[in-house]
Amino acid sequence: MERKSYPTDLTDMEWEILAPLIPLAQEGGHPPTTDIGEICNAIYYHLKTGCQWNMLPGDFPPRSTVYSYYRKWQGQGVWEKFNHTLGGQVRSKLGKSIQPTVLAVDSQSVKTDQKKGMCMVLTDVKT
């Protein structure tokens, strides 16, 4: 049975870009039984709609499987790799360097609920 298509599903072109960035399953274990593309589609559905994990539509892989991959990839830095790669491709298409060359920093006071107390200041002491 083929599942319903959702607007958040990856296109074939998007999948071609992202598939090489997804870590391969470890050797020696049980071979994966779930389509990784469907895992990605379920994760993107969750991220785009903001639904709770247990409210993923039933035609996606089991929510525990989807969440497990999401957390594992989060720990492996896969999401950062996606952002870095896709951001670089966008910059390249715009005719810019893949890496940004300018950094803007905004320093702003941070309010705290800490009580006022002793503050230690370190300074250079000449002897």
Side-chain angles (χ1 to χ4, degrees):
M1 181 171 129
E2 198 169 311
R3 79 164 176 81
K4 170 184 170 183
S5 176
Y6 294 97
T8 55
D9 285 353
L10 292 169
T11 64
D12 291 341
M13 193 158 124
E14 291 168 333
W15 180 243
E16 282 182 37
I17 295 168
L18 296 181
L21 304 174
I22 296 173
L24 299 173
Q26 293 180 349
E27 290 186 29
H30 189 273
T33 57
T34 306
D35 179 5
I36 297 298
E38 287 300 300
I39 296 287
C40 289
N41 285 332
I43 290 171
Y44 287 130
Y45 181 91
H46 163 75
L47 294 173
K48 185 67 176 177
T49 65
C51 75
Q52 296 173 347
W53 289 108
N54 65 349
M55 297 187 81
L56 282 174
D59 51 355
F60 281 125
R63 68 175 185 248
S64 59
T65 303
V66 174
Y67 181 73
S68 174
Y69 273 94
Y70 174 80
R71 292 293 295 177
K72 180 171 70 170
W73 291 346
Q74 187 176 40
Q76 294 173 339
V78 172
W79 305 118
E80 288 83 4
K81 196 179 344 178
F82 279 6
N83 284 331
H84 178 74
T85 301
L86 297 174
Q89 288 181 4
V90 168
R91 292 183 59 80
S92 179
K93 283 190 176 191
L94 293 173
K96 298 180 178 183
S97 167
I98 292 175
Q99 293 293 323
T101 55
V102 175
L103 174 67
V105 178
D106 179 17
S107 62
Q108 182 177 338
S109 297
V110 177
K111 294 182 181 179
T112 176
D113 62 348
Q114 300 289 326
K115 293 182 180 178
K116 291 183 181 179
M118 186 185 335
C119 177
M120 180 183 290
V121 178
L122 301 175
T123 59
D124 289 334
V125 178
K126 295 181 182 180
T127 53

